[in-house]
Amino acid sequence: MYQMTPPQPVQPVQQPPEEPRRMSVGQIALIAAVLGFVVWYLVTALTPEAEPFGRISAGTLGTRYQGDCLLVRDETPYDAEGLTSIEYIAEEGSLIYRGKTICNVYSSGFSTREMTTLQDYRDQIKEYQLKLLRSEVATDARMEKLESDVMSRAEEVRAIVGGARGNMSNQESLLKSAIEARQTYLKQKYSEDQRMTRLYDDEQSQMQRITSWTKQYAAMTEGIVSFYSDGYEYGLTIHNFDQFTPAQVRAMINGTKPEQGAVQKGKTTIYRMIRDGYWYVLMMVKDSAWNPVEGASYELKLESFSDTTVKAVVQSFTRSGGEMVVRLAVQSPVQPILYIRACTGELGDNISTLKVPARAIYYQDNMAGVVVVDGQYQTFIPVNILDRRDGAVFISAIQQGVLAEGQTVRLF
């Protein structure tokens, strides 16, 4: 008997898996070349171009010591007691020669009422002079000339005040001379007038009265005059500055004034005279391990309102209580430190050198040097390398005088 069977599903024929296709050596090289080009382009496009040139600048090498400084000037204070006011005649900070008037000091018996009375007499003289001049019938050629001189000088002063070029001090002196000449002539012109004579006598009497309460101070020696005082001038002098201990110097730096004599107490300082050309410094050095060399010269930089750098010579030094005071002598104008008593300072045995960027150093025939650029010309200059620090190289030219601050050098 024939037996029927259901049809069986046909099994698909599985193809063998294809092997992944491999890149050829040429393709790999091409991709690597493209990636390299992209990296190179990004680096060159985003990286700023290095500067091709630099400059030679000034540099210093050496050890530096910092500390607080107390300044000592060769100055003499002048004082008075029982004064009412001071009339300053000399200019503040100016050089005064022996015999020149510095100021007028009014004693306690003087009253401003006396000056008011004097001005009242002068106003009366002026008004009466104008009255007499207006009553003149005939033309006075000399008076007109004197009046014209006064007006011309006054206009010149006014022009300088308004911004014109000129010396104000000279113009004021010329104006004063013109006014005095006019006044002298008026006094002679009306010398026979009794009222005018009486007014002049009243003026003269009042001036003598004021003079009796006035003491005029004139310079005893040549020096710089100053009307500012801090009270240190009496107890801290060039004759005793080397006698103070570190503790005493520290106290003065902190504001404690040196002891004054009994004679100075109760008096008012009028002015001080300062000898120029030299001064001294008491420096509290913070480096306690340093041993200064007496007689050695150092570079001292005082940091104040305007930095001052001078040469200082060690006179002596003292250690006490964990601090050291170094006493320094300076041969330099006193004007820059005329109003400074205490400040910070930096002392060093510096050697002045030149410095250039590190990329400026170029080797030619195994010799270090720099290439100086002068217009279209470039010159190789051999140098000695003294030190390398913070991206700069300190150098000195083998041949003196061929390198200077501000010259342009090529960078490599």
Side-chain angles (χ1 to χ4, degrees), residues 184-197:
T184 300
Y185 176 70
L186 286 172
K187 192 171 184 179
Q188 295 173 350
K189 181 179 178 69
Y190 300 112
S191 59
E192 301 298 328
D193 189 288
Q194 293 184 0
R195 182 182 174 187
M196 181 63 73
T197 302

Side-chain angles (χ1 to χ4, degrees), residues 362 367-372 379-383 397-399 402-403 407:
Y362 180 78
M367 181 177 291
V370 295
V371 177
V372 176
T379 307
F380 176 78
I381 305 296
V383 299
I398 295 178
Q399 181 181 352
V402 295
L403 292 181
Q407 286 180 312

Side-chain angles (χ1 to χ4, degrees), residues 53-93:
F53 302 105
R55 286 191 178 277
I56 300 176
S57 58
T60 54
L61 291 174
T63 307
R64 310 292 290 178
Y65 307 97
Q66 296 181 338
D68 298 319
C69 298
L70 185 70
L71 308 187
V72 186
R73 295 171 287 266
D74 185 3
E75 54 193 349
T76 302
Y78 292 85
D79 48 40
E81 59 182 347
L83 59 87
T84 300
S85 60
I86 304 173
E87 178 188 10
Y88 300 110
I89 297 178
E91 184 178 351
E92 166 67 27

Side-chain angles (χ1 to χ4, degrees), residues 101-165:
T101 302
I102 296 176
C103 62
N104 293 323
V105 177
Y106 298 95
S107 65
S108 57
F110 174 77
S111 171
T112 55
R113 184 174 60 254
E114 305 297 338
M115 294 298 296
T116 303
T117 302
L118 176 62
Q119 187 60 47
D120 182 61
Y121 286 141
R122 289 175 174 173
D123 290 341
Q124 293 182 46
I125 291 173
K126 178 181 177 181
E127 292 174 1
Y128 191 58
Q129 285 176 343
L130 291 174
K131 180 180 179 180
L132 293 175
L133 288 172
R134 285 194 293 265
S135 64
E136 291 283 341
V137 178
T139 301
D140 189 336
R142 185 177 178 186
M143 186 60 203
E144 290 183 351
K145 174 64 169 57
L146 292 171
E147 187 68 25
S148 176
D149 290 343
V150 171
M151 296 304 297
S152 297
R153 298 303 183 190
E155 290 176 0
E156 291 169 357
V157 171
R158 189 182 299 111
I160 295 177
V161 172
R165 298 182 62 182

Side-chain angles (χ1 to χ4, degrees), residues 324-364:
M324 178 175 68
V325 58
V326 182
R327 304 174 184 93
L328 305 164
V330 178
Q331 295 284 338
S332 178
V334 75
Q335 195 74 37
I337 56 101
L338 194 62
Y339 307 105
I340 303 172
R341 182 61 69 181
C343 62
T344 58
E346 191 176 62
L347 191 68
D349 50 350
N350 287 341
I351 302 174
S352 296
T353 65
L354 299 174
K355 65 177 181 180
V356 294
R359 291 174 48 218
I361 300 300
Y362 180 78
Y363 288 88
Q364 181 174 299

